[in-house]
Amino acid sequence: MYVSDLGEQWHAARLKPALAHLDSASAGRSSYAVIGAMTAHLWRETERGSYVAADDRAEEIARDTRNLAALLGHTADEIIFRESARAALRALLTNWSLPVTSTVWVAKNEFGPNLEEFERRGYAVHTMPDGDVYGHIDTDALENMLQFEQPDFIHVCHIGSMSGAVQPVARIVELAHRAGVPVVVDMAQSVGHVPTVTGADVVYGTSRKWLTGPRGVGFVAVRRDSLRPVEIDGSDAFIAGRLGLGIAVRELLDIGQQRVFRELATIGKATRERLHGIASWEVLEPLDEPSAIVTLAPPPGWQFDDVAAARDKLLSLGILVTAADAWRAPLATETPVLRLSPHLDVQREDLDRLADALRTMGY
């Protein structure tokens, strides 16, 4: 039995997986239609030439870009495509005329590689205060801080790589804009997963996770009326990948994005409830956190190698998850976690098998 009412529909649109795929936060499973659109375009390129084939699909590409822009709360002319979310961030920082001694405020769930991008440019990085043990930003404290000091920009991971906690981005944007501070949002884990119209000045993300589009397609959207306009040149795009992403976005819109967001939140809650109290594994999000990323702290004393071994054992049993080391969120934790990220076609028996397996690996 599927956890989601949409499970059968989502499953029918895709190849039957060879295992319990609980790893959408790494890469979601693309549909037949996404794969077909990409394959067909690659054949067109070899038949008609790459540039002619792209011109043949210009109207479709424009429509797809408008759809993606609407999902992000931007306009189509504000979107530039890159090969990944990290490449999108690099393009932004390279082309943004920030002061040499810039200051950026981040949450404690900030993605480790993003911090590396800030540090290699010499930015001063400061953390915003938590409002609870789950790592949600304390917006009241942030409002007070902004009255006395303003960074050059605020950067927020909407959902981090190490936790399913959803940051209150719309409220952060509201407070920051009131103080004249631009906001950049990493939406790699949130597009197609939770609502992403936030009013932020810049957002960026990737096709391959919750949207279940292809790998190799990232994007950045820069609001034209932002405080410091950024001009990023387009690159030689992966057109087949963009067409695949377009199909994935259309599939989301056809189902109804708000419905998908609700179903994924329901799946996250069901997963946490099923695993809560299993052996000595600890669910790290609130049970009703509105995301489908679920992280489990391992038994006391376990190191990353132990968590990786647990991941490998689960894979041998036909269950795909991620062993997430602390480099993913170095400001938040030193403890590795087991990360689960089921999509709409997860079945209750998958969660039961996972719970039974974890029980044998705890104590």
Side-chain angles (χ1 to χ4, degrees):
M1 179 185 297
Y2 293 101
V3 176
S4 163
D5 292 340
L6 293 174
E8 181 61 41
Q9 179 180 345
W10 196 258
H11 170 79
R14 288 161 174 77
L15 184 72
K16 182 179 179 180
L19 40 65
H21 190 290
L22 310 181
D23 203 21
S24 298
S26 291
R29 295 198 309 119
S30 294
S31 67
Y32 292 121
V34 168
I35 297 168
M38 294 176 63
T39 304
H41 188 74
L42 292 174
W43 283 119
R44 281 194 298 270
E45 287 187 340
T46 196
E47 179 183 34
R48 293 176 54 75
S50 296
Y51 292 100
V52 173
D55 288 343
D56 289 345
R57 291 293 177 271
E59 186 174 327
E60 184 178 348
I61 290 169
R63 177 193 58 189
D64 292 342
T65 304
R66 289 193 298 271
N67 285 342
L68 176 62
L71 188 61
L72 303 173
H74 283 253
T75 58
D77 65 319
E78 294 173 338
I79 292 183
I80 294 294
F81 290 91
R82 283 292 187 269
E83 65 270 23
S84 66
R86 189 170 185 182
L89 176 61
R90 285 174 174 166
L92 169 69
L93 298 179
T94 298
N95 290 276
W96 197 356
S97 299
L98 288 168
V100 175
T101 56
S102 291
T103 299
V104 53
W105 289 2
V106 302
K108 290 182 181 177
N109 74 331
E110 185 61 64
F111 190 40
N114 293 347
L115 292 171
E116 293 174 6
E117 294 296 331
F118 301 147
E119 291 165 3
R120 67 192 292 262
R121 290 169 173 80
Y123 299 168
V125 178
H126 300 294
T127 55
M128 294 176 284
D130 290 343
D132 55 34
V133 298
Y134 305 109
H136 299 102
I137 293 173
D138 185 337
T139 54
D140 290 337
L142 175 62
E143 182 176 22
N144 184 62
M145 289 171 61
L146 286 167
Q147 293 178 11
F148 300 98
E149 183 182 2
Q150 295 82 42
D152 290 283
F153 68 103
I154 289 174
H155 184 277
V156 184
C157 284
H158 199 170
I159 305 175
S161 181
M162 196 76 171
S163 166
V166 183
Q167 295 292 3
V169 172
R171 178 61 174 160
I172 293 166
V173 170
E174 177 187 354
L175 296 174
H177 284 180
R178 194 181 299 166
V181 177
V183 179
V184 178
V185 183
D186 179 341
M187 292 186 170
Q189 291 291 356
S190 59
V191 181
H193 186 183
V194 300
T196 45
V197 177
T198 63
D201 301 274
V202 182
V203 304
Y204 65 94
T206 181
S207 165
R208 67 183 170 89
K209 299 179 185 291
W210 297 94
L211 284 173
T212 68
R215 300 186 71 177
V217 184
F219 48 83
V220 56
V222 182
R223 199 171 301 285
R224 295 298 182 191
D225 59 357
S226 73
L227 297 178
R228 293 190 179 94
V230 182
E231 294 297 333
I232 302 174
D233 293 333
S235 61
D236 188 12
F238 176 28
I239 298 298
R242 286 181 59 180
L243 289 167
L245 169 59
I247 294 291
V249 172
R250 272 183 266 162
E251 289 174 336
L252 171 67
L253 297 177
D254 287 345
I255 294 173
Q257 55 178 305
Q258 297 301 326
R259 185 182 179 193
V260 170
F261 301 154
R262 288 193 300 269
E263 292 288 317
L264 287 172
T266 297
I267 286 169
K269 183 177 181 180
T271 302
R272 295 184 190 101
E273 288 177 341
R274 182 64 185 87
L275 301 178
H276 183 64
I278 292 292
S280 45
W281 295 86
E282 180 186 359
V283 175
L284 295 179
E285 295 84 13
L287 294 182
D288 59 353
E289 188 72 23
S291 83
I293 292 180
V294 179
T295 49
L296 301 177
W302 278 35
Q303 304 300 314
F304 176 71
D305 287 347
D306 301 307
V307 177
R311 182 268 324 275
D312 293 344
K313 176 63 175 177
L314 290 171
L315 184 59
S316 74
L317 297 173
I319 303 170
L320 179 64
V321 299
T322 285
D325 205 356
W327 63 262
R328 294 172 180 268
L331 301 178
T333 183
E334 296 180 354
T335 303
V337 300
L338 203 64
R339 188 186 70 188
L340 325 171
S341 47
H343 218 299
L344 295 172
D345 55 347
V346 65
Q347 300 189 50
R348 294 189 183 278
E349 66 180 40
D350 296 335
L351 302 182
D352 290 340
R353 286 202 297 129
L354 174 63
D356 291 341
L358 289 174
R359 192 173 287 111
T360 67
M361 292 185 279
Y363 49 76

